[in-house]
Amino acid sequence: MDKRSRMIAIGLIGIGCLMIFGRWIGFFSIVALVLLLLGVYRTTMGKVKQGYMLLGIGAALLLLDHLVLVLGICLISLGLFFAKSKKLQSGRNFMQKQSFSSRFDWELSPWIMKSLSSWHVLGEADVDLSLAMAEDKETMMLFQGIFGDVDILLSDNYGVEIEAFVLFGSIEFGDHRDTGMLNRLNWKSANYDSSEQKVKFYVSYLIGDLDIRVS
């Protein structure tokens, strides 16, 4: 998509938002929407950090001007999380966490890998599978929330399946990077079916950055 097409797409999104939410939009809301659209545009142009900063400022202004709306979005996201967690983790022993902010540092030393469902407003996870020691033959890792940054280092020791969705942000797999809106990834490693130990990742954020690397 060239620059002109991106601007047309972003303009149409902005007009659509104004038509849908016009009755609730005030000065701060307009500024917030402009910053959000600029953030999306900067992200699609490859200026990811600048894009995230604009998205964050825009989201903060929306929070100040539409607290009830933002809380509603969080509650909807949390409700979807509970439903997804129940479906994915059915029959497993797993840990479930809900918090405003969370951080998982699983890249510094060997760690015990257990099935996990985690929801957060702000979250960060660094996962190195080469250091993981799985408790079960199949492990499910669910990361879901509003803002998230997830880095996954793959290992041949595990068969890996990844299902990811990022509304605004980016998904990077090796040398390939998708940025902007409605980023989705469905991937399964070649050794998945033959591996004795498997791990499945489900990642879903409204605004996020997912980086998948091969060791």
Side-chain angles (χ1 to χ4, degrees):
M1 184 182 294
D2 57 25
K3 183 176 180 180
R4 182 180 178 184
S5 298
R6 289 194 185 97
M7 293 301 296
I8 292 174
I10 292 171
L12 290 174
I13 293 169
I15 293 172
C17 291
L18 288 173
M19 292 176 66
I20 295 172
F21 303 109
R23 68 178 64 183
W24 299 291
I25 290 179
F27 174 74
F28 283 107
S29 299
I30 293 174
V31 173
L33 286 174
V34 170
L35 290 173
L36 288 172
L37 292 173
L38 284 174
V40 172
Y41 175 70
R42 290 295 186 183
T43 303
T44 59
M45 294 297 292
K47 299 180 179 180
V48 179
K49 290 185 177 180
Q50 190 178 67
Y52 284 164
M53 182 177 67
L54 291 170
L55 287 169
I57 296 172
L61 288 176
L62 279 180
L63 175 62
L64 293 173
D65 203 35
H66 293 288
L67 181 59
V68 174
L69 175 62
V70 174
L71 289 176
I73 292 173
C74 290
L75 290 175
I76 291 172
S77 175
L78 187 57
L80 293 173
F81 165 76
F82 283 126
K84 193 70 176 181
S85 178
K86 182 178 180 181
K87 178 181 178 181
L88 295 177
Q89 304 286 14
S90 178
R92 293 188 179 89
N93 292 320
F94 70 100
M95 179 172 59
Q96 182 164 293
K97 297 180 64 177
Q98 302 86 232
S99 59
F100 178 82
S101 177
S102 63
R103 180 180 176 87
F104 302 97
D105 291 313
W106 293 328
E107 62 169 352
L108 304 176
S109 60
W111 56 285
I112 303 298
M113 183 167 62
K114 304 177 182 180
S115 291
L116 168 72
S117 292
S118 177
W119 182 93
H120 33 254
V121 177
L122 300 170
E124 185 174 353
D126 293 305
V127 182
D128 187 344
L129 289 180
S130 66
L131 299 174
M133 296 177 289
E135 285 194 337
D136 302 307
K137 290 185 177 181
E138 186 175 78
T139 306
M140 169 59 69
M141 308 287 282
L142 169 61
F143 297 100
Q144 188 169 340
I146 309 302
F147 299 91
D149 183 3
V150 178
D151 294 330
I152 301 173
L153 180 61
L154 302 179
S155 171
D156 292 335
N157 296 330
Y158 296 94
V160 180
E161 183 177 358
I162 300 173
E163 182 179 345
F165 175 76
V166 175
L167 183 60
F168 300 104
S170 66
I171 295 178
E172 183 173 357
F173 196 129
D175 296 328
H176 182 74
R177 186 180 186 93
D178 292 320
T179 61
M181 295 178 60
L182 301 173
N183 299 294
R184 186 179 295 276
L185 172 68
N186 290 282
W187 179 82
K188 183 185 291 187
S189 64
N191 67 335
Y192 184 82
D193 294 327
S194 60
S195 294
E196 292 186 3
Q197 291 187 313
K198 300 177 174 66
V199 55
K200 296 182 179 180
F201 289 94
Y202 183 90
V203 181
S204 179
Y205 289 107
L206 292 181
I207 301 175
D209 183 17
L210 172 62
D211 185 3
I212 304 164
R213 294 170 288 136
V214 179
S215 59

